[in-house]
Amino acid sequence: MSDNAGPAGEAIRVLVVDDDALVRAGLTMILSAAADVAVVGEASDGAEVPGAVAAHRPDVVLMDIRMPKVDGLAATETLRARSGAPEVIVLTTFDADEYVLRALRAGASGFLLKDTPPAEILRAVRRVAQGEAMLSPTVTRQLIAHVAAPAQPSQVRAAERLDRLSEREREVALALGQGRSNAEISSDLYMSIATVKAHVSRLLIKLELNNRVQVALLVHDAGLV
């Protein structure tokens, strides 16, 4: 599989969800300029997302947060609760706050500011389609710094969940909490990328989490980063 392709080497299928037609048009233009990305559909409200996903079978959904009927947070929660759901990147005009954090905890793989440069938008879509979080280490630190220190009971519960992991899985979890990519974890922990992916899959099952971003947030809640 190419690093810049969707499943089975096909173009990455993207659904664009935003109530602003100009934003949808701009994102579609940016994404369609790449040979390995295809915009397969659009939606103007979160209420339209389930039907659009069923009709277009996207690999990645770019989801606006603020929409008039069903906002992107509720739509993300509903979508990611389903088996085989596409990855979600939330779109926002504001930087990391409680709304973005709620979206990440609901299962979104990251977020983009709407003024993100086109090349970065494409990079984010490609990373998320490959199962990576699209949060850079800088953005991860910013998110974690924004969260108030957890209450002691919450910290204990988070630590107890991480205790389910083997020593190696715990090392991988801590690396995810630092916002590291699979390639960076492979280099830091002296294991193959395939082994990193296997560890990530196992710890997600053990922790009963949706994706690596939720692991990073759990590591923070435990006070380990």
Side-chain angles (χ1 to χ4, degrees):
M1 185 189 301
S2 167
D3 287 342
N4 294 339
E10 300 174 355
I12 301 166
R13 300 170 62 84
V14 179
L15 175 70
V16 177
V17 184
D18 197 293
D19 63 334
D20 188 326
L22 288 177
V23 172
R24 295 199 307 273
L27 289 169
T28 297
M29 181 176 64
I30 290 169
L31 297 170
S32 298
D36 60 322
V37 178
V39 176
V40 295
E42 298 180 5
S44 59
D45 192 84
E48 302 171 8
V49 169
V53 168
H56 301 297
R57 297 176 292 104
D59 302 307
V60 177
V61 177
L62 292 184
M63 183 88 74
D64 186 22
I65 288 183
R66 293 182 175 174
M67 293 180 285
K69 295 180 181 178
V70 176
D71 66 32
L73 299 174
T76 296
E77 290 171 346
T78 300
L79 182 60
R80 292 297 298 169
R82 298 182 177 184
S83 176
E87 301 295 337
V88 176
I89 300 173
V90 296
L91 294 160
T92 179
T93 55
F94 45 88
D95 216 329
D97 63 13
E98 67 273 18
Y99 296 108
V100 175
L101 289 165
R102 179 182 157 196
L104 297 179
R105 293 186 188 280
S109 295
F111 76 89
L112 292 175
L113 297 177
K114 288 186 178 179
D115 61 357
T116 298
E120 288 300 302
I121 293 176
L122 285 167
R123 185 175 71 87
V125 168
R126 289 167 177 147
R127 284 193 63 176
V128 166
Q130 293 297 315
E132 294 264 4
M134 57 71 58
L135 301 178
S136 69
T138 299
V139 172
T140 300
R141 286 193 298 270
Q142 188 174 13
L143 278 170
I144 291 174
H146 181 83
V147 184
Q152 186 64 26
S154 298
Q155 187 171 8
V156 171
R157 286 195 297 271
E160 288 175 345
R161 292 180 70 185
L162 291 171
D163 285 342
R164 304 175 191 174
L165 305 179
S166 69
E167 182 177 353
R168 202 57 161 163
E169 289 165 350
R170 189 179 179 88
E171 290 177 337
V172 173
L174 290 176
L176 294 178
Q178 295 166 349
R180 297 192 178 280
S181 68
N182 285 347
E184 290 169 332
I185 296 172
S186 172
S187 175
D188 291 346
L189 299 182
Y190 304 102
M191 62 176 72
S192 69
I193 290 180
T195 301
V196 174
K197 290 180 179 179
H199 280 304
V200 171
S201 295
R202 283 197 295 271
L203 67 88
L204 286 176
I205 292 171
K206 286 186 178 181
L207 297 174
E208 300 177 341
L209 294 175
N210 194 287
N211 60 28
R212 60 199 292 136
V213 177
Q214 291 179 330
V215 176
L217 293 173
L218 182 66
V219 169
H220 167 69
D221 286 346
L224 300 180
V225 292

